[in-house]
Amino acid sequence: MNKLFLRKVSLKSPVQPSSYLKRLPVVACLEQSGISFERPVTFLVGENGSGKSTLLEAIAVAFGFNAEGGGKNFRFSTAETHSTLASCLLLTKGVRMPGDGFFLRAESFYNVASYLDGLGPEALSCYGDISLHAQSHGESFLTLVNERFSSNGLYILDEPEAALSPTRQMALLARIHALAEAGSQFLIATHSPMLMACPGATVYQLDGQGVHPCSYTETEHYIVMRSFLNHPQRMLDILLNDAQDEN
């Protein structure tokens, strides 16, 4: 039996034909069959503009999280920029509800940290008792994951690797895996080949054809990174010669 908190996402009402959302292949997939979640960790990968962040944001909002990030009790807004996709989504939930949860999005993490500071010292007790602004960007990300995240939670992460060095990405990977083993569920949009290597994870590729499962070693991110690291000079020659030709 699927014991996950979120089992599937699809559409309960159509997206407006005039909306830019209609041009995203991920929306066509939602219209046709939806996207199922069968493992504790699911990665959404693809090129910029493929709809990863738009989908994650909509799922988070539909599940009750603040559009700019945070836990379910976070209520602040600095700019109403999120799409209307959340109002069209149908979330098929599991038989149990999460005991915890958080929506982490790299682009608005500063706003989350500022909101926490405004709540006073007591609010920081779940975040290592120190302002997230008083740490480096990468340290604050890991502090959040290590101090705030716990077992049996639903965690939606949008490009969590943005502030992390390779070593810290490996630390995040280990934490995600440990929490998944402890009953948590993760939905993650990422460009990091390191994070995608999480054992037992589902990887969904978002591209012009829609959304489809993909093995870790078949992702463009893995292939490109492996090619560059194995043959850096060859790759540089190709890149720089192409740049010169364009000029």
Side-chain angles (χ1 to χ4, degrees):
M1 180 184 295
N2 190 329
K3 296 182 179 180
L4 302 180
F5 305 117
L6 182 60
R7 298 169 54 198
K8 185 177 181 180
V9 59
S10 54
L11 292 187
K12 64 181 179 182
S13 58
V15 172
Q16 291 294 325
S18 59
S19 172
Y20 77 93
L21 295 169
K22 199 69 175 177
R23 300 193 296 270
L24 296 177
V26 68
V27 172
C29 179
L30 292 173
E31 292 174 333
Q32 295 168 7
S33 59
I35 301 171
S36 297
F37 306 109
E38 300 177 352
R39 298 179 182 178
V41 180
T42 301
F43 290 106
L44 304 178
V45 306
E47 192 50 81
N48 295 330
S50 60
K52 305 182 305 298
S53 295
T54 299
L55 176 59
L56 274 195
E57 175 192 79
I59 292 173
V61 172
F63 213 95
F65 292 104
N66 190 55
E68 293 186 37
K72 281 197 170 184
N73 60 339
F74 280 46
R75 288 293 176 264
F76 72 92
S77 176
T78 56
E80 293 288 339
T81 59
H82 58 284
S83 74
T84 59
L85 183 58
S87 62
C88 302
L89 290 187
L90 173 65
L91 303 183
T92 302
K93 300 180 181 179
V95 296
R96 62 190 185 112
M97 291 298 292
D100 188 21
F102 205 92
F103 176 31
L104 169 62
R105 55 188 312 174
E107 66 177 288
S108 58
F109 187 73
Y110 182 94
N111 302 340
V112 170
S114 298
Y115 175 76
L116 281 171
D117 280 353
L119 296 179
E122 290 186 2
L124 296 177
S125 61
C126 295
Y127 300 84
D129 289 314
I130 182 173
S131 170
L132 297 178
H133 281 314
Q135 307 171 58
S136 74
H137 200 28
E139 288 174 332
S140 63
F141 269 47
L142 280 184
T143 294
L144 172 68
V145 174
N146 289 329
E147 300 289 340
R148 174 62 175 76
F149 290 13
S150 61
S151 59
N152 296 307
L154 174 64
Y155 301 107
I156 301 174
L157 314 182
D158 186 15
E159 300 185 6
E161 75 279 5
L164 301 179
S165 69
T167 300
R168 296 298 176 89
Q169 288 184 46
M170 289 190 286
L172 176 60
L173 168 59
R175 180 65 172 159
I176 289 171
H177 183 257
L179 288 173
E181 291 283 296
S184 290
Q185 181 178 2
F186 287 84
L187 307 180
I188 306 171
T190 186
H191 294 291
S192 169
M194 286 186 174
L195 294 185
M196 293 176 209
C198 185
T202 295
V203 179
Y204 280 122
Q205 177 78 38
L206 280 67
D207 54 31
Q209 306 305 313
V211 181
H212 49 89
C214 181
S215 71
Y216 166 60
T217 56
E218 291 176 333
T219 62
E220 182 181 7
H221 306 72
Y222 174 86
I223 293 171
V224 170
M225 184 64 72
R226 183 187 62 182
S227 296
F228 190 92
L229 293 178
N230 287 343
H231 307 285
Q233 191 57 53
R234 181 191 304 172
M235 295 292 287
L236 285 171
D237 289 342
I238 294 172
L239 289 170
L240 299 181
N241 287 336
D242 286 348
Q244 289 177 352
D245 291 342
E246 291 177 1
N247 293 329

